[in-house]
Amino acid sequence: LFTDAARAESAHTHGVAALLRRHFAEELKFLKRSLKLPPLLKRQTVYFGGQDQIAAQLYQSVTQALLHRPVLTAADYHARLTELAALKIHQCGQDLRDAVIAVVEAHHEARCRIAAVEQRRIAAPVVGRFLQTLKDELTRLMPDNFVRLYDRQRLLHVVRYLRTVSIRVERGMVDLEKDRARQAQVTPFIEHLQRLMQSMDAGTSMQKRAAVERFFWMIEEYKVSLFAQEVGTDGPVSAKRLKQLVGEIERMI
């Protein structure tokens, strides 16, 4: 027995998942095979620990969504068995897999464009700083656990942000001053985001955490609007809207 309700609920959910794993053992074996990435992506996945690491995260994400449910009665458990049987478990996760592949390819394209400029060995320090800024962008957008971190819908947006980085490499090398001017419009919001994240602690409300995350992604949309308008933003975005959101966040607990 647990003295803490949250721990009890977590343990129960894991227990239900264990029972479902045992019941659908064969289907889960086929699922694991179906989520493997194509061999041609070997180079593209090296930044994230390789194909096996990404496939393992895919499997964890899909099984988490399928099996980890707060089922409390025998009737609900048997109803879930019926639902999972009808779903054809081995076919689940294909949309997520396709989204992950698209992100991996877009990330690799951006890395290749940066590497192509580096190979030209341009001595100007300003070029080195520009490229390092973009590499930092890629690292921040694509952490090692990005498959577990982002759902399918978020991955579709991340592809746009990665394309923006690729476009920025080409345009920046044509006119670095223009890129620096546009980056100067983004920098105050990035710095404010960093301060917000540093100020959060265990007492920060879920509402504020969600708003800070929204602010994070709105900054990415703002970059699209500044550096690669043809990629298109997910709705209207502007410096004014970012400032308004900052004001809302600062009034939250």
Side-chain angles (χ1 to χ4, degrees):
L1 295 177
F2 293 90
T3 57
D4 180 78
R7 289 179 60 206
E9 183 177 346
S10 176
H12 176 77
T13 303
H14 280 83
V16 171
L19 291 174
L20 292 172
R21 286 178 193 279
R22 182 175 297 182
H23 186 90
F24 292 105
E26 288 302 313
E27 289 87 344
L28 291 172
K29 286 181 183 178
F30 286 114
L31 171 66
K32 184 174 288 189
R33 293 173 191 167
S34 73
L35 294 175
K36 289 184 177 180
L37 273 59
L40 291 175
L41 290 180
K42 184 175 181 180
R43 281 185 61 202
Q44 289 90 326
T45 58
V46 69
Y47 307 98
F48 314 106
Q51 292 172 290
D52 290 345
Q53 178 65 24
I54 291 181
Q57 288 189 47
L58 269 169
Y59 180 77
Q60 290 169 7
S61 293
V62 175
T63 54
Q64 176 82 19
L66 291 174
L67 309 180
H68 288 251
R69 300 294 182 91
V71 174
L72 296 174
T73 67
D76 288 344
Y77 177 76
H78 289 295
R80 188 58 186 159
L81 290 180
T82 302
E83 290 172 2
L84 289 173
L87 270 177
K88 297 182 179 178
I89 288 176
H90 67 282
Q91 295 178 358
C92 293
Q94 292 306 303
D95 287 344
L96 179 62
R97 175 180 177 273
D98 291 344
V100 165
I101 289 174
V103 166
V104 167
E105 290 176 337
H107 174 268
H108 185 65
E109 172 67 18
R111 289 282 183 184
C112 285
R113 292 196 182 195
I114 292 172
V117 176
E118 289 178 328
Q119 288 169 5
R120 289 155 58 183
R121 299 184 182 278
I122 300 171
V126 67
V127 174
R129 290 195 294 271
F130 167 66
L131 296 179
Q132 187 59 53
T133 295
L134 297 185
K135 286 192 282 189
D136 291 344
E137 289 271 313
L138 293 176
T139 299
R140 189 171 54 82
L141 277 172
M142 297 284 288
D144 291 344
N145 64 335
F146 79 92
V147 179
R148 298 294 310 277
L149 196 61
Y150 303 147
D151 61 18
R152 177 178 173 273
Q153 192 61 40
R154 177 55 61 195
L155 289 170
L156 298 178
H157 292 307
V158 170
V159 169
R160 290 188 300 106
Y161 307 147
L162 294 171
R163 287 176 180 163
T164 296
V165 174
S166 290
I167 291 170
R168 192 176 170 187
V169 174
E170 302 302 318
R171 290 182 179 164
M173 293 309 299
V174 173
D175 192 340
L176 268 177
E177 281 305 312
K178 183 180 287 187
D179 184 275
R180 290 174 67 185
R182 290 174 176 170
Q183 179 63 34
Q185 297 179 58
V186 180
T187 298
F189 297 112
I190 294 175
E191 292 175 348
H192 206 108
L193 173 66
Q194 291 171 342
R195 290 194 294 272
L196 285 171
M197 295 180 71
Q198 290 169 359
S199 68
M200 291 195 298
D201 55 27
T204 303
S205 67
M206 293 302 296
Q207 180 190 22
K208 185 171 183 177
R209 291 178 185 276
V212 171
E213 182 177 358
R214 189 163 72 252
F215 183 50
F216 176 97
W217 293 117
M218 191 181 287
I219 291 173
E220 293 306 316
E221 294 293 342
Y222 188 47
K223 291 176 189 174
V224 173
S225 73
L226 291 175
F227 298 107
Q229 294 88 345
E230 67 270 40
V231 171
T233 60
D234 181 35
V237 62
S238 65
K240 181 179 179 180
R241 289 175 182 271
L242 283 164
K243 290 175 182 177
Q244 287 176 340
L245 181 54
V246 168
E248 292 174 14
I249 293 172
E250 289 180 339
R251 289 191 292 272
M252 295 177 183
I253 298 175

